[in-house]
Amino acid sequence: MSQSSLVLLDQPSTGSVQANLLLAHGAGAPMDSDFMQQLVAELVKHDLRVLRFEFPYMQARRNQGQRRPPNPMPELQQYMLEELARQMQHFSEPWLLAGKSMGGRVASRVVSQSKALGAIAYGYPFHPIGKPDKLRTEHLPELTKPLCVIQGERDRLGAKTLIAAMDLGDKVSIDWLVAADHDLKPLQRSGLTQAQHLQRAAAVSSEFIQRCIKNNKTNKQ
């Protein structure tokens, strides 16, 4: 499974870095989609170094121009761990894992076995569209490291009306974005914009990362 990868590196303009964030794309769009570009632009404002990468199926799609389905979940998980190991050779800790939708799901499944301090999911795919009975939550109560989910209230892959009452374990926290969908776009009548939600997502990410760093230092004492 190991192979060289295409990586996009975004650095804070201040030159100060509080942490490194390995960021994965969702199932259908690449690492340089409009959503990912806008999200990263907000994340670096919080002194985060962001490294985006693509899973093998998306790299093949980029190279060959043909749509491909995602690799099986075990392969995606292995690849993210390998990518983290590759990037940790270049940048020192602390590290966190993150991803949009499917990428966030992968991050949540490997964070406990990685050297990352925690994981962030931007729009977690709690279930396939239209299939709320097929939950993708079985591993969440077993997490040993924290997971921050930033979720739209009306996400078709996990709306607040379904998810908020669930017991996902003590390592999972959810920040709900008002009237937002899976791409964190709010209803127009809410008076909010996607740009505002992405700004909040970046701020929540930074606060979560700071807590992870603080807790890690405390645990080492």
Side-chain angles (χ1 to χ4, degrees), residues 63-206:
N63 295 334
Q64 300 168 12
Q66 296 179 341
R67 291 189 66 87
R68 291 172 173 264
N71 305 96
M73 183 56 66
E75 294 182 11
L76 297 174
Q77 293 174 200
Q78 180 182 346
Y79 193 81
M80 178 174 269
L81 288 171
E82 291 175 352
E83 192 60 58
L84 177 62
R86 277 190 285 266
Q87 298 308 324
M88 289 187 74
Q89 297 178 33
H90 305 293
F91 302 104
S92 58
E93 297 180 1
W95 278 91
L96 287 96
L97 300 174
K100 166 77 168 77
S101 191
M102 182 197 75
R105 182 185 176 201
V106 177
S108 75
R109 294 186 67 88
V110 302
V111 64
S112 293
Q113 58 184 295
S114 75
K115 293 184 178 180
L117 300 183
I120 304 169
Y122 301 101
Y124 187 88
F126 284 96
H127 57 79
I129 292 178
K131 299 179 179 179
D133 56 321
K134 297 186 180 299
L135 291 172
R136 297 159 171 161
T137 59
E138 69 284 347
H139 65 291
L140 297 181
E142 306 302 321
L143 292 178
T144 60
K145 294 182 179 179
L147 169 68
C148 175
V149 177
I150 300 172
Q151 193 85 354
E153 288 183 339
R154 60 187 186 93
D155 192 326
R156 294 175 65 198
L157 284 77
K160 186 176 183 179
T161 52
L162 175 67
I163 306 301
M166 290 184 180
D167 182 5
L168 302 174
D170 60 4
K171 294 298 184 182
V172 180
S173 60
I174 303 181
D175 189 87
W176 293 102
L177 299 183
V178 175
D181 63 10
H182 193 57
D183 290 326
L184 310 187
K185 292 181 181 179
L187 291 169
Q188 189 173 13
R189 66 173 179 262
S190 71
L192 299 167
T193 65
Q194 185 188 34
Q196 288 175 309
H197 275 340
L198 289 172
Q199 290 169 6
R200 175 168 176 78
V204 170
S205 299
S206 178

Side-chain angles (χ1 to χ4, degrees), residues 10-29:
D10 294 271
Q11 304 250 36
S13 59
T14 61
S16 174
V17 176
Q18 67 162 315
N20 305 293
L21 194 64
L22 185 66
L23 179 63
H25 56 82

